[in-house]
Amino acid sequence: MAEFATVARPYAEALFRVAKQGNMDAWADVVSQLSQLGAHPDVLAYAANPNVVGNDVAQTLMSMLKADVTPEVKNLVAMLVQNGRVALLPEIGAQFEMLKNADAGAADADITSAFEISSQQVADLVATLEKKFGRKLNPSVTVDPALIGGVRVVVGDEVLDTSVRARLQQMQAALAS
């Protein structure tokens, strides 16, 4: 089977086109919830169970949504269940989010720090990073003590690693060559 990203792309693009014509925030909420459901192992096992009828899977997924279930959402869920593509939901959600961010001139920034950083430090770092990357950033911060010190920032396919661990790895590579 083709990679999830390749198969999920048309779904994400179609969803994005529908969302642009309607309420983008409502669609983003629905897609986010569906993405979380599609990542849950119990949901995937239920959807893959040959003893469960496709309509039951679709109804169950829609009942778990906290957002309004519009006819478009029903059609999307029914189509994914019918084609056996419930497992694509997390990838569809990720690609939808990237399209939404690109349309808004923004991007997600995954910031990993060696230590807890305050909200003010995050705001200052994001302001600096927005200048560097030339777009608005939506930060998500995690802590990884293995970095030893510094931060590692991932924006799309760009990585800015100023951690002590990265510098030690660079020094090791330089000394080994």
Side-chain angles (χ1 to χ4, degrees):
M1 183 175 172
E3 285 192 40
F4 275 11
T6 303
V7 178
R9 185 173 297 113
Y11 292 103
E13 290 172 348
L15 275 172
F16 182 71
R17 285 193 300 273
V18 170
K20 277 190 77 157
Q21 295 172 357
N23 183 343
M24 181 64 77
D25 292 334
W27 271 103
D29 184 42
V30 168
V31 171
S32 173
Q33 289 180 40
L34 285 171
S35 176
Q36 291 173 11
L37 288 174
H40 198 282
D42 292 340
V43 171
L44 292 174
Y46 181 70
N49 187 337
N51 296 324
V52 180
V53 180
N55 282 344
D56 290 344
V57 175
Q59 290 295 335
T60 302
L61 284 173
M62 287 183 281
S63 72
M64 289 190 264
L65 292 175
K66 293 180 178 116
D68 290 334
V69 179
T70 63
E72 293 89 356
V73 174
K74 288 180 184 178
N75 289 341
L76 169 69
V77 171
M79 180 177 48
L80 289 171
V81 170
Q82 180 182 5
N83 293 326
R85 295 192 167 160
V86 174
L88 289 178
L89 283 168
E91 183 62 29
I92 291 170
Q95 290 193 23
F96 179 86
E97 190 66 27
M98 286 189 322
L99 290 168
K100 182 179 143 220
N101 284 340
D103 187 58
D108 288 332
D110 296 322
I111 301 170
T112 306
S113 173
F115 304 101
E116 286 287 333
I117 54 178
S118 70
S119 57
Q120 181 60 44
Q121 290 172 317
V122 171
D124 293 344
L125 178 60
V126 168
T128 302
L129 292 170
E130 285 177 345
K131 290 177 187 173
K132 176 172 179 38
F133 288 105
R135 56 187 168 229
K136 183 179 178 330
L137 298 176
N138 305 319
S140 65
V141 180
T142 57
V143 176
D144 181 5
L147 294 179
I148 303 170
V151 294
R152 182 176 194 267
V153 180
V154 179
V155 177
D157 61 354
E158 298 178 70
V159 178
L160 177 64
D161 195 343
T162 62
S163 67
V164 173
R165 181 178 68 187
R167 290 184 183 165
L168 288 172
Q169 288 171 342
Q170 290 171 348
M171 287 173 42
Q172 179 185 15
L175 291 171
S177 59

